[in-house]
Amino acid sequence: IATPDGRTFTLDGECRGEIIPEERGTNGFGYDPIFQVEGLTRTMAELSMEEKNRLSHRARAILAARPVLMQLTDEL
C-alpha cells in the first residue's frame, strides 16, 4: 500500500503446500494443477473459485492489509 504522502506498507500472505508430480484439476493456470494445498488432498486447480479466494496467498495478503486500510481511512 502506498499513500500520497509517501508512506508505504508491505503485507504478506502465505499458502503452504507442496508441488506434486502429476497435474490435477482444471480450475487454474501456471502452478495451480501441481500445487497441493497443505492440509487438503486437492490441488489449487481442483478448488472452487470461492475456496481459492479464501486460501490463496493473495487473499491472505489482502486480509492482512485490511487493518492498515482501515487505519488510513480513519486518518482522512
PDB file of all heavy atoms in Angstrom, residues 3-20:
ATOM      1  N   THR A   3       0.769   5.530   0.053  1.00  0.00           N
ATOM      2  CA  THR A   3      -0.096   6.683   0.270  1.00  0.00           C
ATOM      3  C   THR A   3       0.451   7.890  -0.480  1.00  0.00           C
ATOM      4  O   THR A   3       1.645   7.936  -0.810  1.00  0.00           O
ATOM      5  CB  THR A   3      -0.197   7.007   1.772  1.00  0.00           C
ATOM      6  OG1 THR A   3       1.097   7.379   2.254  1.00  0.00           O
ATOM      7  CG2 THR A   3      -0.725   5.817   2.556  1.00  0.00           C
ATOM      8  N   PRO A   4      -0.388   8.875  -0.744  1.00  0.00           N
ATOM      9  CA  PRO A   4       0.075  10.071  -1.458  1.00  0.00           C
ATOM     10  C   PRO A   4       1.192  10.812  -0.715  1.00  0.00           C
ATOM     11  O   PRO A   4       1.998  11.493  -1.345  1.00  0.00           O
ATOM     12  CB  PRO A   4      -1.180  10.943  -1.548  1.00  0.00           C
ATOM     13  CG  PRO A   4      -2.311   9.988  -1.474  1.00  0.00           C
ATOM     14  CD  PRO A   4      -1.840   8.899  -0.548  1.00  0.00           C
ATOM     15  N   ASP A   5       1.250  10.667   0.622  1.00  0.00           N
ATOM     16  CA  ASP A   5       2.307  11.363   1.370  1.00  0.00           C
ATOM     17  C   ASP A   5       3.622  10.580   1.427  1.00  0.00           C
ATOM     18  O   ASP A   5       4.545  10.955   2.128  1.00  0.00           O
ATOM     19  CB  ASP A   5       1.822  11.707   2.786  1.00  0.00           C
ATOM     20  CG  ASP A   5       1.497  10.486   3.635  1.00  0.00           C
ATOM     21  OD1 ASP A   5       1.733   9.347   3.180  1.00  0.00           O
ATOM     22  OD2 ASP A   5       0.993  10.678   4.763  1.00  0.00           O
ATOM     23  N   GLY A   6       3.700   9.470   0.682  1.00  0.00           N
ATOM     24  CA  GLY A   6       4.957   8.740   0.561  1.00  0.00           C
ATOM     25  C   GLY A   6       5.128   7.551   1.497  1.00  0.00           C
ATOM     26  O   GLY A   6       6.134   6.847   1.414  1.00  0.00           O
ATOM     27  N   ARG A   7       4.179   7.307   2.371  1.00  0.00           N
ATOM     28  CA  ARG A   7       4.297   6.132   3.245  1.00  0.00           C
ATOM     29  C   ARG A   7       3.982   4.866   2.447  1.00  0.00           C
ATOM     30  O   ARG A   7       3.137   4.882   1.551  1.00  0.00           O
ATOM     31  CB  ARG A   7       3.332   6.237   4.426  1.00  0.00           C
ATOM     32  CG  ARG A   7       3.691   7.333   5.403  1.00  0.00           C
ATOM     33  CD  ARG A   7       2.700   7.391   6.547  1.00  0.00           C
ATOM     34  NE  ARG A   7       1.412   7.884   6.037  1.00  0.00           N
ATOM     35  CZ  ARG A   7       0.276   7.800   6.700  1.00  0.00           C
ATOM     36  NH1 ARG A   7       0.210   7.225   7.892  1.00  0.00           N
ATOM     37  NH2 ARG A   7      -0.837   8.281   6.180  1.00  0.00           N
ATOM     38  N   THR A   8       4.668   3.797   2.788  1.00  0.00           N
ATOM     39  CA  THR A   8       4.391   2.505   2.164  1.00  0.00           C
ATOM     40  C   THR A   8       4.216   1.447   3.250  1.00  0.00           C
ATOM     41  O   THR A   8       4.831   1.520   4.315  1.00  0.00           O
ATOM     42  CB  THR A   8       5.518   2.067   1.206  1.00  0.00           C
ATOM     43  OG1 THR A   8       6.739   1.979   1.925  1.00  0.00           O
ATOM     44  CG2 THR A   8       5.670   3.035   0.044  1.00  0.00           C
ATOM     45  N   PHE A   9       3.371   0.498   2.953  1.00  0.00           N
ATOM     46  CA  PHE A   9       3.096  -0.612   3.858  1.00  0.00           C
ATOM     47  C   PHE A   9       3.160  -1.897   3.037  1.00  0.00           C
ATOM     48  O   PHE A   9       2.530  -1.991   1.984  1.00  0.00           O
ATOM     49  CB  PHE A   9       1.696  -0.471   4.471  1.00  0.00           C
ATOM     50  CG  PHE A   9       1.481   0.822   5.203  1.00  0.00           C
ATOM     51  CD1 PHE A   9       1.100   1.960   4.512  1.00  0.00           C
ATOM     52  CD2 PHE A   9       1.675   0.906   6.570  1.00  0.00           C
ATOM     53  CE1 PHE A   9       0.887   3.164   5.176  1.00  0.00           C
ATOM     54  CE2 PHE A   9       1.479   2.092   7.241  1.00  0.00           C
ATOM     55  CZ  PHE A   9       1.082   3.230   6.554  1.00  0.00           C
ATOM     56  N   THR A  10       3.932  -2.858   3.508  1.00  0.00           N
ATOM     57  CA  THR A  10       4.073  -4.132   2.822  1.00  0.00           C
ATOM     58  C   THR A  10       3.494  -5.224   3.710  1.00  0.00           C
ATOM     59  O   THR A  10       3.840  -5.318   4.888  1.00  0.00           O
ATOM     60  CB  THR A  10       5.551  -4.449   2.520  1.00  0.00           C
ATOM     61  OG1 THR A  10       6.095  -3.380   1.745  1.00  0.00           O
ATOM     62  CG2 THR A  10       5.697  -5.749   1.767  1.00  0.00           C
ATOM     63  N   LEU A  11       2.623  -6.025   3.137  1.00  0.00           N
ATOM     64  CA  LEU A  11       2.000  -7.110   3.882  1.00  0.00           C
ATOM     65  C   LEU A  11       2.170  -8.402   3.102  1.00  0.00           C
ATOM     66  O   LEU A  11       2.275  -8.389   1.879  1.00  0.00           O
ATOM     67  CB  LEU A  11       0.521  -6.802   4.106  1.00  0.00           C
ATOM     68  CG  LEU A  11       0.381  -5.503   4.904  1.00  0.00           C
ATOM     69  CD1 LEU A  11      -0.374  -4.488   4.132  1.00  0.00           C
ATOM     70  CD2 LEU A  11      -0.164  -5.763   6.261  1.00  0.00           C
ATOM     71  N   ASP A  12       2.207  -9.498   3.818  1.00  0.00           N
ATOM     72  CA  ASP A  12       2.438 -10.803   3.198  1.00  0.00           C
ATOM     73  C   ASP A  12       1.235 -11.707   3.356  1.00  0.00           C
ATOM     74  O   ASP A  12       0.456 -11.580   4.299  1.00  0.00           O
ATOM     75  CB  ASP A  12       3.644 -11.494   3.853  1.00  0.00           C
ATOM     76  CG  ASP A  12       4.937 -10.741   3.634  1.00  0.00           C
ATOM     77  OD1 ASP A  12       5.184 -10.320   2.497  1.00  0.00           O
ATOM     78  OD2 ASP A  12       5.698 -10.591   4.600  1.00  0.00           O
ATOM     79  N   GLY A  13       1.131 -12.625   2.447  1.00  0.00           N
ATOM     80  CA  GLY A  13       0.163 -13.706   2.540  1.00  0.00           C
ATOM     81  C   GLY A  13       0.869 -14.988   2.153  1.00  0.00           C
ATOM     82  O   GLY A  13       1.742 -14.984   1.296  1.00  0.00           O
ATOM     83  N   GLU A  14       0.509 -16.062   2.799  1.00  0.00           N
ATOM     84  CA  GLU A  14       1.187 -17.331   2.559  1.00  0.00           C
ATOM     85  C   GLU A  14       0.169 -18.450   2.415  1.00  0.00           C
ATOM     86  O   GLU A  14      -0.820 -18.497   3.145  1.00  0.00           O
ATOM     87  CB  GLU A  14       2.105 -17.623   3.748  1.00  0.00           C
ATOM     88  CG  GLU A  14       2.975 -18.829   3.597  1.00  0.00           C
ATOM     89  CD  GLU A  14       3.911 -18.983   4.772  1.00  0.00           C
ATOM     90  OE1 GLU A  14       4.939 -18.289   4.821  1.00  0.00           O
ATOM     91  OE2 GLU A  14       3.589 -19.793   5.655  1.00  0.00           O
ATOM     92  N   CYS A  15       0.423 -19.310   1.476  1.00  0.00           N
ATOM     93  CA  CYS A  15      -0.378 -20.512   1.287  1.00  0.00           C
ATOM     94  C   CYS A  15       0.614 -21.666   1.189  1.00  0.00           C
ATOM     95  O   CYS A  15       1.332 -21.788   0.195  1.00  0.00           O
ATOM     96  CB  CYS A  15      -1.233 -20.415   0.020  1.00  0.00           C
ATOM     97  SG  CYS A  15      -2.241 -21.876  -0.273  1.00  0.00           S
ATOM     98  N   ARG A  16       0.662 -22.460   2.212  1.00  0.00           N
ATOM     99  CA  ARG A  16       1.614 -23.572   2.234  1.00  0.00           C
ATOM    100  C   ARG A  16       1.067 -24.774   1.478  1.00  0.00           C
ATOM    101  O   ARG A  16      -0.137 -24.977   1.395  1.00  0.00           O
ATOM    102  CB  ARG A  16       1.945 -23.968   3.666  1.00  0.00           C
ATOM    103  CG  ARG A  16       2.727 -22.904   4.386  1.00  0.00           C
ATOM    104  CD  ARG A  16       3.071 -23.369   5.787  1.00  0.00           C
ATOM    105  NE  ARG A  16       3.938 -22.405   6.432  1.00  0.00           N
ATOM    106  CZ  ARG A  16       5.265 -22.486   6.468  1.00  0.00           C
ATOM    107  NH1 ARG A  16       5.865 -23.515   5.917  1.00  0.00           N
ATOM    108  NH2 ARG A  16       5.975 -21.558   7.055  1.00  0.00           N
ATOM    109  N   GLY A  17       1.978 -25.563   0.969  1.00  0.00           N
ATOM    110  CA  GLY A  17       1.609 -26.765   0.246  1.00  0.00           C
ATOM    111  C   GLY A  17       2.840 -27.409  -0.343  1.00  0.00           C
ATOM    112  O   GLY A  17       3.962 -27.111   0.062  1.00  0.00           O
ATOM    113  N   GLU A  18       2.611 -28.278  -1.305  1.00  0.00           N
ATOM    114  CA  GLU A  18       3.733 -28.955  -1.947  1.00  0.00           C
ATOM    115  C   GLU A  18       3.467 -29.133  -3.436  1.00  0.00           C
ATOM    116  O   GLU A  18       2.321 -29.167  -3.879  1.00  0.00           O
ATOM    117  CB  GLU A  18       4.006 -30.309  -1.300  1.00  0.00           C
ATOM    118  CG  GLU A  18       2.893 -31.315  -1.473  1.00  0.00           C
ATOM    119  CD  GLU A  18       3.213 -32.655  -0.842  1.00  0.00           C
ATOM    120  OE1 GLU A  18       4.046 -33.394  -1.403  1.00  0.00           O
ATOM    121  OE2 GLU A  18       2.636 -32.953   0.212  1.00  0.00           O
ATOM    122  N   ILE A  19       4.555 -29.206  -4.177  1.00  0.00           N
ATOM    123  CA  ILE A  19       4.486 -29.471  -5.607  1.00  0.00           C
ATOM    124  C   ILE A  19       4.383 -30.986  -5.779  1.00  0.00           C
ATOM    125  O   ILE A  19       5.178 -31.729  -5.204  1.00  0.00           O
ATOM    126  CB  ILE A  19       5.742 -28.936  -6.338  1.00  0.00           C
ATOM    127  CG1 ILE A  19       5.897 -27.436  -6.104  1.00  0.00           C
ATOM    128  CG2 ILE A  19       5.694 -29.274  -7.828  1.00  0.00           C
ATOM    129  CD1 ILE A  19       4.751 -26.584  -6.602  1.00  0.00           C
ATOM    130  N   ILE A  20       3.377 -31.435  -6.542  1.00  0.00           N
ATOM    131  CA  ILE A  20       3.187 -32.866  -6.769  1.00  0.00           C
ATOM    132  C   ILE A  20       3.601 -33.208  -8.205  1.00  0.00           C
ATOM    133  O   ILE A  20       3.631 -32.334  -9.071  1.00  0.00           O
ATOM    134  CB  ILE A  20       1.729 -33.283  -6.487  1.00  0.00           C
ATOM    135  CG1 ILE A  20       0.747 -32.541  -7.391  1.00  0.00           C
ATOM    136  CG2 ILE A  20       1.390 -33.048  -5.009  1.00  0.00           C
ATOM    137  CD1 ILE A  20      -0.688 -33.042  -7.302  1.00  0.00           C
TER     138      ILE A  20
END
